[in-house]
Amino acid sequence: MEASAIQVQAATRRFGSLVAVDHLSFEVQRGEIFGLLGPNGAGKTTMLHLLTGLLRRDGGEVRVLGHDPQRKAKEVRQRTGYVPQETNVYLDLSAVDNLWHHAALYCRDLAGIEGRIESLLELMNLWERRKDAVRTFSGGMKRRLVLARALLHDPEIILFDEPTLGVDVQARHAIWAHIQAKRGQGKTFVVSTNDMAEADVLCDRLIIIDQGRTIALDTPEQLKANLGRDIVTLRTTPPIAEPETYFAGLGVQTVTRLDPDQLRLEVRDAESIVGELVARIGASHRLESVRIARPTLDDVFLHHTGRALRE
């Protein structure tokens, strides 16, 4: 058995003049939670559709469990589960009936399905509401039902587009726990998200995507460590007019103006210069606030692209 669940090499997909996926390459190991992190419109959903065979690529190679999803779509879909952004369940049906409907369409063998439906609804904390119309469910409950549906035919790979879109904090943590539990049982997940905290908590490794292209690929911790800088955010009155000149000689690597009076500095060792930094500002400005922090994934994205992830 190959260690890799998914192999993508220079995958490309165009919509007219728009290049939605631009020569993306990555590999996902079996039993891994792999993240596609990027802003809306970065190409994440398009990449998931290339993995399922819902879209045809214009170039490159894609292999899912050794199969090309363009040529072996049926084989790929039998061994993968897909949870789309849209919570596309039948609102007038109960949770049980939604899962039976899915089983009739996608499960090759219905033997034991009743017990599997029960176990999945128990897992998702939905068993007590199994006979209720789904329209009475909260957003988080619907999302968990969609995940149960994706797991019903016991797929080896689950593709999850925006796992916690539109759900509350409690439901979000429940879904994260379910994903991690299934990974512990050997399932492979590809999670598309624009939520930095989600990517940081869930993903063993991730690829950061912007405008269809690879920005960086590594573990969340290594991506932040590779930045090799602390982040200093400060606010002054009046605003500092020419910060690059103003902070010359302090080892400031990059300056970004977040607001007219707020600056973000990337510094090699913030603790060693913070005293001089505050003294210099205090000589001609009023320092309203200062914050020193280790890099986040948003800082990684900002460093590589010049803008915040959610802009």
Side-chain angles (χ1 to χ4, degrees):
M1 180 184 294
E2 293 184 2
S4 298
I6 295 171
Q7 296 170 312
V8 177
Q9 183 64 41
T12 301
R13 170 68 193 198
R14 300 180 182 88
F15 295 97
S17 61
L18 173 66
V19 184
V21 172
D22 191 355
H23 292 85
L24 280 187
S25 297
F26 60 89
E27 191 168 335
V28 182
Q29 305 302 313
R30 291 176 183 267
E32 183 176 32
I33 301 176
F34 186 87
L36 306 177
L37 177 66
N40 293 334
K44 306 185 301 296
T45 297
T46 300
M47 187 64 245
L48 292 182
H49 289 172
L50 294 179
L51 294 177
T52 61
L54 291 172
L55 285 176
R56 298 182 65 83
R57 60 188 180 274
D58 295 308
E61 296 294 329
V62 174
R63 293 290 182 274
V64 178
L65 298 170
H67 298 297
D68 181 343
Q70 283 187 193
R71 298 183 176 89
K72 299 288 186 178
K74 183 177 180 181
E75 288 86 342
V76 168
R77 291 173 192 173
Q78 285 175 344
R79 300 174 69 184
T80 60
Y82 178 47
V83 183
Q85 284 187 31
E86 304 81 12
T87 306
N88 56 346
V89 288
Y90 294 100
L91 299 180
D92 292 328
L93 297 183
S94 68
V96 167
D97 288 342
N98 264 279
L99 294 185
W100 267 112
H101 180 268
H102 183 79
L105 290 174
Y106 295 103
C107 295
R108 287 175 289 183
D109 184 1
L110 295 181
I113 285 295
E114 185 172 2
R116 184 159 179 77
I117 287 174
E118 180 175 348
S119 65
L120 283 170
L121 291 177
E122 290 276 11
L123 175 67
M124 299 300 167
N125 296 319
L126 295 173
W127 180 247
E128 298 301 321
R129 299 288 303 276
R130 64 190 181 279
K131 296 181 180 179
D132 296 344
V134 174
R135 67 170 60 258
T136 67
F137 285 13
S138 68
M141 293 168 68
K142 292 174 185 173
R143 209 75 182 124
R144 297 202 303 274
L145 178 60
V146 173
L147 177 55
R149 185 183 65 186
L151 296 171
L152 186 59
H153 61 294
D154 197 26
E156 298 168 57
I157 298 174
I158 297 93
L159 308 175
F160 216 151
D161 200 355
E162 304 288 355
T164 55
L165 184 68
V167 303
D168 58 32
V169 173
Q170 184 177 2
R172 172 179 303 197
H173 286 280
I175 290 170
W176 289 352
H178 292 321
I179 291 174
Q180 290 166 331
K182 298 306 290 186
R183 188 271 302 274
Q185 297 172 18
K187 302 297 184 185
T188 302
F189 282 84
V190 178
V191 178
S192 162
T193 184
N194 62 7
D195 186 316
M196 295 173 296
E198 188 160 74
D200 219 342
V201 168
L202 275 182
C203 299
D204 301 308
R205 291 186 306 129
L206 58 88
I207 183 171
I208 300 178
I209 303 171
D210 186 39
Q211 297 177 347
R213 295 188 295 271
T214 301
I215 300 299
L217 193 164
D218 214 320
T219 67
E221 285 306 314
Q222 195 58 50
L223 285 169
K224 292 180 286 187
N226 288 345
L227 204 57
R229 302 173 184 185
D230 297 326
I231 308 301
V232 178
T233 306
L234 55 91
R235 190 181 299 274
T236 64
T237 304
I240 296 174
E242 297 181 0
E244 289 83 2
T245 302
Y246 192 88
F247 295 119
L250 291 183
V252 175
Q253 305 294 314
T254 304
V255 178
T256 305
R257 190 175 295 278
L258 303 177
D259 289 310
D261 61 348
Q262 186 177 31
L263 297 172
R264 174 189 175 278
L265 315 179
E266 293 185 10
V267 184
R268 288 289 182 191
D269 184 4
E271 292 180 2
S272 67
I273 69 155
V274 66
E276 186 176 354
L277 181 74
V278 170
R280 185 175 298 190
I281 294 171
S284 56
H285 294 71
R286 178 177 174 177
L287 181 60
E288 304 291 350
S289 65
V290 62
R291 178 177 178 269
I292 300 173
R294 300 303 181 217
T296 65
L297 290 177
D298 196 27
D299 292 313
V300 175
F301 187 84
L302 180 62
H303 174 78
H304 285 288
T305 67
R307 67 183 193 281
L309 183 63
R310 294 184 182 276
E311 288 182 4

